[in-house]
Structure formats: structure tokens, C-alpha cells
Amino acid sequence: MPYAVSDVARVHLTSLWEPATTRPCSVGSTPRGSSVSGPPSSAWRAPTRAKRVSRSGSSTPTKVVLSSTLDKATWERTTIVDKSAAEVVGDLKATEGGDILVLSSASVIKALLAADKVDRLALTIFPVFLGGGPRLFDDGLPAGQWTLVSQAAGEHGPLAVVYDRVR
């Protein structure tokens, strides 16, 4: 997907993960090693993200893996938690720290939206209709208002937008 490797998408994602101190992961995005690999289209982000996610030190984000089947974490600063996404975020918000970031885990994001636990929603919108697949915004989400915080348009039409929840 050429839009995913655009400058606007890269800047948008970098601005999201740099201030994060915690990164909840679903089992599907569980870290499996100290390097990041992926299809060639993700090559632009692999080195930077691999360094950010796997480096040692206090500035490394803590990874929280949501799983009822795993019992051992293989990455540094990784914790396995057998709780709902909403409970984990509630627990994390009760502690000091920076942003809690969920990247590309539709199951976790959907659960947090349903529980009204999302304070900021960052989306990258690509001008492509896939014609099917899972929906992020299912029916039955709690009603609420969002305010636009930032927006950026890339070449050929991708949009990076950030909304904050109005409480």
C-alpha cells in the first residue's frame, strides 16, 4: 500500500509513539524478538521502530501484552496481563507516566472505544476502498463528541488526523 509509506504517515506514526511510555499489545501484535520485520512496504519504519521498541533504558516504552494463554514475556520491559483492555488502561491511567499507545490492534481499540476509555484517536485515512473486512467503528459505541486537534494531507490523498475526546 503506497500510502502507508508516505511522509505524512511516517511523521504521524512517529509523533504518536515518541511520547508513549506504555504500549498495550494484543496477542496478534505480541513482540517476538528484538528486531522488527515485515513486508517490504514496512521497511521505512522497521529500523526506527525496532530501536524504539527494543532498546534498553528508562525511556523505552513498557509493553503490556493482553493474553490469557501466554505466561512468559521475551522482550525487555514487557508484561503479560490477563485482564480486559479497559481494566488494563484503567490500571495504567491510575499510575504516573506518559501516553498509553495502542497501535494497529483493532481488537484492543474496539474494546477501549466500547468502554469509553479512549481520550485521543489518531487515524491515518488512505484513499482506498478495500470492499470488505472488519470494521473499527462498530454499531453500539457510546455517543460522544470529538474535537479535531491536528490534520495533515499527503501526496495522493492520505490524511493523518488526530481527535481528542470532549468530556
Side-chain angles (χ1 to χ4, degrees), residues 8 148-153 159-163:
V8 73
L148 182 64
V149 174
S150 67
Q151 61 185 342
L159 299 173
V161 295
V162 177
Y163 293 95

Side-chain angles (χ1 to χ4, degrees), residues 15 38 50 99 115:
S15 72
D99 293 345

Side-chain angles (χ1 to χ4, degrees), residues 81-106:
V81 179
D82 184 7
K83 291 183 179 180
S84 73
E87 287 178 283
V88 170
V89 166
D91 292 347
L92 290 169
K93 282 185 171 187
T95 64
E96 280 191 39
D99 293 345
I100 301 166
L101 178 64
V102 180
L103 284 176
S104 303
S105 179

Side-chain angles (χ1 to χ4, degrees), residues 57-86:
S58 61
S59 65
T60 304
T62 301
K63 279 118 2 232
V64 178
V65 177
L66 307 177
S67 176
S68 61
T69 59
L70 298 176
D71 59 357
K72 182 180 174 190
T74 58
W75 269 16
E76 289 181 41
R77 298 181 56 93
T78 301
T79 303
I80 308 289
V81 179
D82 184 7
K83 291 183 179 180
S84 73

